[in-house]
Amino acid sequence: MLKIRYHWNNKRLPIICATSTRIGGISPNPYNSLNLAYHVGDDPKNVAENRKRFCQKLGIDVNSLVVANQVHGDNIEIIESDQAGSGAYGTNDAISSTDALITASNAVSICVMTADCVPVMIFDPKTPSIGIAHAGWKGAVLRIAQKTVLKMKSVFGTQPSDCIVMLGPSIMPCCYEVNDDIIAKFDDEFGISTCTDGKRLDLHRAVKIQLIEAGIKSENISSDQTCTACNLNLFYSHRAENGITGRMMSLIKLL
Ligand SMILES: [Zn+2]
């Protein structure tokens, strides 16, 4: 049975917003079972079937997906209705070299793929518009989440104080020890509170700090604190599975 983490489903907001788990697909080890990424070495036929199941469960069309080839950078693309389906069935026609997507169209489901990085989903009910970003440690230091909000502000007239933000499941400080250089970057940029015990990163906290600096209200940010690396029955973890694994998909769509 396919399992999904729904975000905001109790609040009756006019959006679909969810993160997949690894449960309910057809991919064999090490991609077992609901791998939703084409770029990790899994059989494309399995990925196509898994995406079909995930979309069916959410009640959306696979042809509405917009997926980017992510590069741990800070490029943000504005997505229009006629880009629906980009990257839906493979990587060749995916949005190139981009880690965040924003749109005001209800014809597209904007997505990011993760296995430890933080999926950041942003909803502005006023304009209305949405954004999604992929923030690993590089993206967090580049302030991709903050830049995505500010891009929504410049393109759609979004007021950050109106926005609701969800941080999906990622690797947590319990499992995310990094080298001193990276710790120093986070200490400089976001303060020592993002460096648990001085050696382990708290990505959610670093993302939350930059969102608040952009004008998002703290009480409007939700954070799924379930660690991907601690829960390999439920999630993929790039670190805990030594880089050979599948990806979850996080998705947001205006209704
Ligand atoms: Zn953990």
Side-chain angles (χ1 to χ4, degrees), residues 113-138:
M113 314 299 306
T114 62
D116 289 341
C117 297
V118 185
V120 183
M121 292 148 274
I122 304 158
F123 173 46
D124 169 13
K126 290 276 171 67
T127 49
S129 58
I130 50 175
I132 194 163
H134 154 254
W137 77 260
K138 288 178 185 164

Side-chain angles (χ1 to χ4, degrees), residues 170-176 226-231:
S170 75
I171 196 164
M172 286 286 145
C174 45
C175 296
Y176 201 29
T226 317
C227 176
T228 45
C230 286
N231 294 281

Side-chain angles (χ1 to χ4, degrees), residues 18-20 110-114 119 121 132 248-252:
T19 299
S20 65
I110 50 177
C111 307
V112 294
M113 314 299 306
T114 62
M121 292 148 274
I132 194 163
M248 284 89 73
M249 178 182 278
S250 288
L251 173 154
I252 184 165

